[in-house]
């Protein structure tokens, strides 16, 4: 096995080692901790890029397989990289990098072990993207969740503890469902390896098929809770708007982990080759996704605070993704993945931006500010001491970032949000043209996709006018370069995605092609041979 | 044996779910613990029940489904117990923090009417 082969384990190993190395470091040496953690994440980003290139150049679209114990697939544990998982790793790492940089300005001082927890969350997220069997998926999910509990409570305070309590309770209950689903699937098929599972599903006997489908449904509920489908997503706005900004920005990827698993499993296990189980659960995904978008749309319109607005937008985003997966049309998948990248980056940037913008509002013109100033003064002085020179034209930069976020989230041209929605709709209509008319549910999907964008536009306009034009005193928030750079970087990534949308969509088109042919994934996992050792090495 | 196991799982899960919907944080913790017991037993049951059969091969003796029980669910259940235990401990800490902030043990931090 050459060195590229060993890169596959790096997205799990690197943050794991970094997190462990950060624990014994003294809590006061935050800059050192931050720098180490940031460096590791930077390496991880390079690894993600290398994996994307490696998976794109693999022979016959094959997935890259890493056998952890050097045992062949159904019995040994495998990690699998294909275009989709490589892309998700790169996306999550890019967001992590920006969130970390942002946190180093002030937020990592709000509590102990911020960077350690952050790296452990990356272990869980990357592991969930890479794993090739269901039980390890559970383990990585738990690592991700355990770290996210810690990060949710980062900064403490009654609001965060209350939101954290609810967040932990619902996720623990969902984990129980996860285990029930996994064990039902094992009980009915006798395997937990996803590729092996996909092979066995077509030939199951009727009573085992019933058990398998029950198991898959219970398992699905666990992912739907994570992805925030209505009515399982009521916990989400509360938790996300209470979390500290860098944490909330990183949480934007957690819902997408749920969406990723749903996409992966529904295409692999219940794709075209699954016999009587083909298309299992698609209706639930479609209608549940539509209801989630509707709920998110109403929530966005009703929100006054920007944090809540962004949280409800998370629901719109994951609802649109679930509904698009539930359509079951291969042509929609490239657009869907493009939407996933674009909207996640947009939300991440927006969560970071909120805190910078609201800094101005807190000190500024609101009636509330009178009371704020009464006990917020000392705090302000403290802030003033630690910041350097304020960035000139701060409000202009913040305003421009806000406009860019609005365009991304509402799906307005020219940014990537528009390209994504256009690609989804184009895929939907061109995928249907030859066989049938557009069904009612598909029309509703089209309508909701557009209306949810309009709602986001209206809500963001309202908030933007109140924040940028209506502030009486015109207090300029003090923003450090290290805080605005991540926001600009995320928006630049979206801009790059827009400019390069041709190559990006081609990559995603290949991803969708590979996903729609589960036999490629299955074949790669089954045909991987253990490494033969040569003497002592 | 099957009846005892299924009734056990049912009672654990039923009580766990009932407690999960109660307003006191302590009840929620106990509910989650009971639920995880039910889940652990359920995983165990998915390996099919066999009495007096070892899960591990002995040296020099061929194994098979007639003489041995499925070892995988036992390994899974071990992992699930450890993770569940750790999560319950974590939840208890958050419960105490919440109690410290709000001064009561209601899940919403204040008494409902």
């Amino acid at each position: 096995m050459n060195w590229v082969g060993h890169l596959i384990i790096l997205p799990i190993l690197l943050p794991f080692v970094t997190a462990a190395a950060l624990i014994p470091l003294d809590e006061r040496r935050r800059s050192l901790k931050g720098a180490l953690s940031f460096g590791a994440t930077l390496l991880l980003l390079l690894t993600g890029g290398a994996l994307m290139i490696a998976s794109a150049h693999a022979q016959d679209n094959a997935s890259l397989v890493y056998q952890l114990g050097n045992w062949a697939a159904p019995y040994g544990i495998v990690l699998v990289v294909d275009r989709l998982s490589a892309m998700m790793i790169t996306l999550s790492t890019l967001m992590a990098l920006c969130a970390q940089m942002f946190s180093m300005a002030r937020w990592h001082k709000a509590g102990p072990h911020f960077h350690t927890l952050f790296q452990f969350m990356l272990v869980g997220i990357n592991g969930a993207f890479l794993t090739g069997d269901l039980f390890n998926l559970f383990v990585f999910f738990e690592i991700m969740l355990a770290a996210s509990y810690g990060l949710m409570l980062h900064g403490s305070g009654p609001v965060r503890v209350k939101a954290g309590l609810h967040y932990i309770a619902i996720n623990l209950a969902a984990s129980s469902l996860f285990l029930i689903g996994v064990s039902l699937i094992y009980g009915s098929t006798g395997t937990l390896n996803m590729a092996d599972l996909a092979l066995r599903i077509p030939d199951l006997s009727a009573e085992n098929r019933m058990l398998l489908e029950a198991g898959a449904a219970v398992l699905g509920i666990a992912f739907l809770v994570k992805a925030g489908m209505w009515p399982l997503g009521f916990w989400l706005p509360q938790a996300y708007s209470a979390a500290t900004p860098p944490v909330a920005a990183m949480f934007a990827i957690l819902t997408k982990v749920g969406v990723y698993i749903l996409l992966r499993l529904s295409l692999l296990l219940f794709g075209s080759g699954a016999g009587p189980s083909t298309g299992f659960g698609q209706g639930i995904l479609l209608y549940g996704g539509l209801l989630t978008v509707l709920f998110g749309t109403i929530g966005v319109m009703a929100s006054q605070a920007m944090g809540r607005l962004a949280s409800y937008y998370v629901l719109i985003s994951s609802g649109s993704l679930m509904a698009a997966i539930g359509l079951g049309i291969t042509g929609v998948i490239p657009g869907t993945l493009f939407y996933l990248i674009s909207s996640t980056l947009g939300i991440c940037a927006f969560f970071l931006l909120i805190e910078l913008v609201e800094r101005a509002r807190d000190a500024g013109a609101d009636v509330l500010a009178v009371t704020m100033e009464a006990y917020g003064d000392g705090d302000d002085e403290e802030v003033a001491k630690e910041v350097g020179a304020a960035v000139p034209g701060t409000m202009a930069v913040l305003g421009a970032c806000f406009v860019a976020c609005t365009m991304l989230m509402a799906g307005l041209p020219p940014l990537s949000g528009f390209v994504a929605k256009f690609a989804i709709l184009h895929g939907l209509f061109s995928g249907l043209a030859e066989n049938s008319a557009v069904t009612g549910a598909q029309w509703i999907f089209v309508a909701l996709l557009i209306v949810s964008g309009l709602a986001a536009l209206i809500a963001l306009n309202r908030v933007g006018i109140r924040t940028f034009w209506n502030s009486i005193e015109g207090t300029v928030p003090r923003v450090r370069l290290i805080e605005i750079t991540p926001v600009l970087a995320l928006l630049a990534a979206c801009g790059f995605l827009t400019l390069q949308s041709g190559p990006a969509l081609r990559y995603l088109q290949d991803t969708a092609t590979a996903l729609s042919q589960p036999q490629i994934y299955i074949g790669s996992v089954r045909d991987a041979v253990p490494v033969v050792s040569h003497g002592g090495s | 044996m099957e009846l005892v196991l299924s009734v056990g799982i049912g009672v654990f899960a039923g009580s766990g779910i009932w407690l999960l919907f109660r307003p006191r944080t302590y009840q929620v913790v106990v509910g989650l613990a009971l639920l995880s017991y039910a889940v652990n037993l359920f995983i165990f049951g998915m390996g099919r029940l066999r009495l007096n059969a070892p899960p591990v091969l002995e040296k020099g003796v061929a194994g098979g489904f007639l003489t041995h029980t499925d070892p995988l669910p036992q390994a899974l259940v071990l992992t699930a117990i450890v993770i569940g235990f750790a999560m319950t401990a974590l939840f208890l800490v958050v419960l105490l923090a919440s109690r410290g902030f709000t001064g009561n043990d209601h899940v919403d931090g204040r008494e409902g009417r």
Side-chain angles (χ1 to χ4, degrees):
Chain A
M1 189 179 256
N2 57 1
W3 64 274
V4 178
H6 288 291
L7 274 184
I8 299 173
I9 184 96
L10 214 54
I12 298 172
L13 219 50
L14 187 62
F16 194 81
V17 171
T18 313
L22 289 176
I23 294 175
L25 274 179
D26 191 73
E27 206 44 55
R28 274 164 298 185
R29 301 169 72 183
R30 282 200 192 83
S31 318
L32 177 65
K33 280 185 156 202
L36 279 178
S37 179
F38 187 79
T41 317
L42 200 61
L43 275 179
L44 208 56
L45 186 66
L46 296 179
T47 314
L51 284 179
M52 269 176 86
I53 294 170
S55 59
H57 287 93
Q59 278 182 343
D60 310 325
N61 273 333
S63 311
L64 310 173
V65 179
Y66 192 80
Q67 296 167 327
L68 286 173
N70 206 20
W71 281 81
Y75 304 107
I77 292 167
V78 290
L79 301 178
V80 187
V81 177
D82 59 0
R83 285 188 179 82
L84 181 61
S85 39
M87 180 196 97
M88 294 301 290
I89 287 174
T90 314
L91 175 66
S92 69
T93 315
L94 178 65
M95 289 167 60
L97 207 59
C98 294
Q100 257 177 344
M101 192 176 185
F102 187 89
S103 77
M104 276 189 271
R106 57 196 282 192
W107 281 106
H108 70 159
K109 293 175 193 151
H113 296 302
F114 176 81
H115 291 291
T116 311
L117 287 169
F118 205 90
Q119 292 292 332
F120 273 129
M121 189 156 85
L122 282 181
V123 175
I125 294 173
N126 290 342
F129 290 145
L130 284 175
T131 182
D133 76 301
L134 287 178
F135 200 78
N136 278 301
L137 182 64
F138 168 75
V139 174
F140 282 122
F141 239 68
E142 286 303 310
I143 294 176
M144 175 182 94
L145 289 175
S148 82
Y149 302 152
L151 286 173
M152 173 79 229
L153 297 168
H154 181 76
S156 197
V159 180
R160 281 188 199 118
V161 169
K162 184 185 151 196
L165 192 76
H166 297 177
Y167 175 70
I168 297 175
I170 187 116
N171 277 307
L172 286 184
S175 297
S176 298
L177 290 176
F178 196 140
L179 279 174
I180 292 176
V182 165
S183 53
L184 265 174
I185 289 176
Y186 179 74
S188 56
T189 60
T191 184
L192 285 174
N193 183 292
M194 298 197 305
D196 200 29
L197 203 57
L199 268 185
R200 292 193 190 190
I201 283 176
D203 309 321
L204 280 182
S205 64
E207 72 266 20
N208 273 341
R209 181 173 303 282
M210 191 190 72
L211 271 180
L212 169 90
E213 290 187 349
V218 175
L219 189 65
I221 293 174
F223 300 131
L224 291 176
V225 168
K226 198 68 244 161
M229 179 192 268
W230 188 90
L232 304 170
F234 290 126
W235 58 273
L236 194 145
Q238 196 69 35
Y240 279 38
S241 51
T244 49
V247 172
M250 201 53 210
F251 275 14
I253 195 76
L254 294 195
T255 52
K256 303 304 186 289
V257 177
V259 171
Y260 162 84
I261 306 285
L262 287 167
L263 177 67
R264 165 77 75 204
L265 290 187
S266 61
L267 287 177
L268 185 63
L269 304 185
F270 303 113
S272 50
S277 297
T278 301
F280 176 75
Q282 266 182 0
I284 304 280
L285 273 182
L286 176 57
Y287 292 109
L290 291 178
L291 282 171
T292 314
V293 178
L294 194 65
F295 177 66
T297 306
I298 296 170
V300 160
M301 295 289 279
S303 312
Q304 297 294 320
M306 280 202 245
R308 289 194 75 79
L309 196 160
S311 310
Y312 278 109
Y313 186 77
V314 171
L315 287 180
I316 293 184
S317 162
S318 70
S320 310
L321 290 169
M322 283 186 275
I325 296 168
L327 286 173
I329 302 168
T330 315
V332 177
I333 300 293
T336 310
L337 293 174
F338 198 91
Y339 180 75
L340 191 155
I341 302 172
S342 155
S343 70
T344 314
L345 288 175
I347 297 168
C348 185
F350 192 62
F351 266 121
L352 296 181
L353 187 65
I354 289 171
E355 203 255 343
L356 302 180
V357 171
E358 289 198 331
R359 229 176 256 177
R361 284 189 65 194
D362 284 353
D366 288 347
V367 183
L368 275 173
V370 178
T371 47
M372 282 276 192
E373 275 168 8
Y375 56 79
D377 252 348
D379 204 27
D380 275 0
E381 273 170 11
E382 208 175 301
V383 173
K385 250 180 269 162
E386 72 194 37
V387 297
V391 177
T394 310
M395 268 335 241
V397 176
L398 287 182
C401 288
F402 188 85
V403 170
C405 280
T406 306
M407 289 202 289
L408 273 174
M409 288 161 73
L412 288 181
L415 282 182
S416 53
F418 172 74
V419 181
K421 286 195 177 180
F422 183 82
I424 292 178
L425 295 182
H426 177 73
L428 172 61
F429 288 122
S430 62
L432 278 176
E434 69 270 16
N435 41 26
S436 61
V438 184
T439 63
Q442 286 163 346
W443 276 123
I444 296 175
F445 172 73
V446 172
L448 274 178
L449 196 65
I450 294 166
V451 168
S452 65
L454 178 67
L457 181 63
I458 294 172
L460 283 165
N461 259 328
R462 190 178 54 191
V463 170
I465 288 171
R466 205 187 302 145
T467 311
F468 290 99
W469 292 348
N470 215 11
S471 54
I472 302 162
E473 292 294 329
T475 330
V476 177
R478 287 181 168 275
V479 175
R480 292 171 66 184
L481 196 60
I482 195 174
E483 288 174 309
I484 194 69
T485 310
V487 179
L488 289 173
L490 286 166
L491 294 173
C494 287
F496 181 73
L497 200 62
T498 317
L499 289 176
Q500 297 294 322
S501 48
L505 275 170
R506 268 198 295 284
Y507 180 88
L508 297 174
Q509 180 65 52
D510 291 340
T511 311
T513 315
L515 281 176
S516 61
Q517 296 168 317
Q519 63 272 17
I520 296 178
Y521 181 97
I522 299 167
S524 317
V525 174
R526 283 186 61 89
D527 297 342
V529 281
V531 182
V532 186
S533 69
H534 301 289
S537 68
Chain B
M1 192 64 200
E2 280 81 1
L3 191 68
V4 174
L5 187 73
S6 48
V7 168
I9 293 174
V11 169
F12 272 136
S15 340
I17 290 168
W18 188 75
L19 282 173
L20 205 55
F21 291 123
R22 304 298 298 160
R24 307 275 153 218
T25 45
Y26 186 70
Q27 290 168 318
V28 174
V29 172
V30 175
L32 282 169
L34 287 181
L35 199 60
S36 72
Y37 294 158
V39 170
N40 291 341
L41 285 175
F42 183 80
I43 299 174
F44 198 73
M46 273 298 129
R48 305 298 188 270
L49 287 178
R50 286 183 59 86
L51 295 177
N52 298 326
V56 186
L57 296 179
E58 277 177 51
K59 204 171 186 181
V61 181
F65 283 114
L66 292 175
T67 52
H68 288 78
T69 182
D70 191 348
L72 193 68
Q74 309 200 358
L76 299 186
V77 103
L78 211 58
T79 316
I81 289 171
V82 173
I83 292 179
F85 194 67
M87 293 299 158
T88 312
L90 186 96
F91 194 67
L92 272 171
V93 174
V94 181
L95 181 160
L96 288 177
S98 167
R99 161 98 206 184
F101 275 120
T102 60
N104 64 54
D105 64 347
H106 196 278
V107 287
D108 286 332
R110 60 187 145 82
E111 299 296 330
R113 284 286 128 201

